[in-house]
Amino acid sequence: MGIRYLHTMVRVKDLEASMAFYKLLGLKETRRHDVEEARFSLIFMAPEGQEDCPVELTYNWDGDDELPSDSRHFGHLAYSVPNIYETCQHLMDNGVVINRPPRDGRMAFVRSPDNVSVELLQEGEALEPAEPWTSMENVGHW
């Protein structure tokens, strides 16, 4: 089973202050994804020459009054896998709950024994939606 580290996500309350902090550490913005419909932005920042190992800053445009005290700063680890269905089946066969099944052939979420959320993303294009994944419901939080 091949797996590749993608990013670590953290939520931020003040985007400009957070970006300035990470810039002081030597990170630079490598890409940005603004989602108007859901009113949030994803800003990826990484050290020079290590663009494939970013931190993802997740910023909610309408604010997040619970930050910084609700311990939701850390979001998830993310890894790409060669076949998301095979990976999820392997995990399920070994007792791991698939919290967000890969109904879209692209993305799934699981949790570690310590409750760390892990995002799994299909390498390249999404696979064709397939059963049993398309019929599976979300379980718990992811």
Side-chain angles (χ1 to χ4, degrees):
M1 178 172 76
I3 191 167
R4 186 173 73 86
Y5 172 80
L6 293 177
H7 63 262
T8 298
M9 184 272 267
V10 293
R11 287 179 179 81
V12 300
K13 185 170 186 159
D14 182 331
L15 180 59
E16 297 309 315
S18 293
M19 289 182 69
F21 169 78
Y22 287 103
K23 285 178 183 175
L24 286 173
L25 290 175
L27 281 66
K28 64 176 183 160
E29 183 175 332
T30 59
R31 68 182 196 262
R32 177 185 291 248
H33 187 64
D34 296 314
V35 183
E36 286 195 39
E37 314 81 62
R39 301 189 51 75
F40 71 89
S41 295
L42 307 177
I43 294 86
F44 292 83
M45 298 185 74
E48 187 75 38
Q50 297 178 49
E51 289 79 9
D52 60 343
C53 296
V55 62
E56 172 192 318
L57 306 180
T58 297
Y59 174 68
N60 294 313
W61 298 358
D62 298 322
D64 196 335
D65 293 335
E66 300 302 317
L67 292 176
S69 64
D70 77 344
S71 73
R72 291 185 324 114
H73 287 87
F74 174 77
H76 60 263
L77 299 174
Y79 295 93
S80 67
V81 295
N83 185 304
I84 197 157
Y85 296 145
E86 289 176 6
T87 300
C88 287
Q89 188 63 58
H90 171 74
L91 293 171
M92 279 181 39
D93 291 348
N94 285 278
V96 175
V97 173
I98 308 299
N99 300 100
R100 194 279 191 193
R103 290 184 293 275
D104 55 4
R106 173 169 165 58
M107 177 180 65
F109 276 86
V110 297
R111 289 209 175 242
S112 77
D114 297 305
N115 213 25
V116 172
S117 185
V118 178
E119 178 181 23
L120 302 170
L121 291 168
Q122 173 64 40
E123 282 179 11
E125 298 297 316
L127 301 180
E128 285 294 317
E131 291 296 341
W133 313 108
T134 53
S135 298
M136 291 177 80
E137 297 292 323
N138 292 343
V139 177
H141 300 283
W142 41 279

